[in-house]
Amino acid sequence: MRTSSADAAVRRGEQPAWLCTLALPDGRRIRVATRALRVATAAHSDGPYKYDPLLVGMDAFSEEIDVFALEGAASLTQARVEVTTPIDLANLQDDWHAVTAASVEIALLWEGQTWDERVVLLAGGLMQEIEFGLPGQATRFTVEVASPDTSETI
């Protein structure tokens, strides 16, 4: 759902920013976007969130339409992400578990929207096929959300 500020941005021909948030198991967050952002938060006291302009590539591999999805549920199931490696991510290379256990969110944000109004395309994704770069170089990884197995017995 776009807000009136997003509708105004569309009329002006503006493009949304891609956001990628890595939630590490120890509670740290690494936030990168296609441009530098300070995103206001309405419901969180730890904002505004700062996104570094280090997201340099995003390819959606597949989309799924779930007729049983709740409103606001993401449809993107897999994406290939490329970031200019921030120093903290490069230093985590030695702590493989911390990186591979990170939960990833991919979202879009239009100019004037708050963090709570972002459009989440992929939530709870796990990092796979990680290719680390040195600080300042590209790190690439695939993010995938496992589809729920509907054949499980409840």
Side-chain angles (χ1 to χ4, degrees), residues 134-152:
L134 297 172
Q137 295 181 339
T139 288
R140 295 171 189 85
F141 53 90
T142 298
V143 180
E144 185 169 2
V145 175
S147 298
D149 187 354
T150 55
S151 64
E152 291 283 327

Side-chain angles (χ1 to χ4, degrees), residues 80-101:
R80 185 75 174 158
V81 178
E82 183 174 344
V83 300
T84 301
T85 307
I87 292 172
D88 49 356
L89 184 58
N91 290 339
L92 286 173
Q93 182 174 353
D94 293 332
D95 189 1
W96 187 252
H97 175 74
V99 175
T100 58

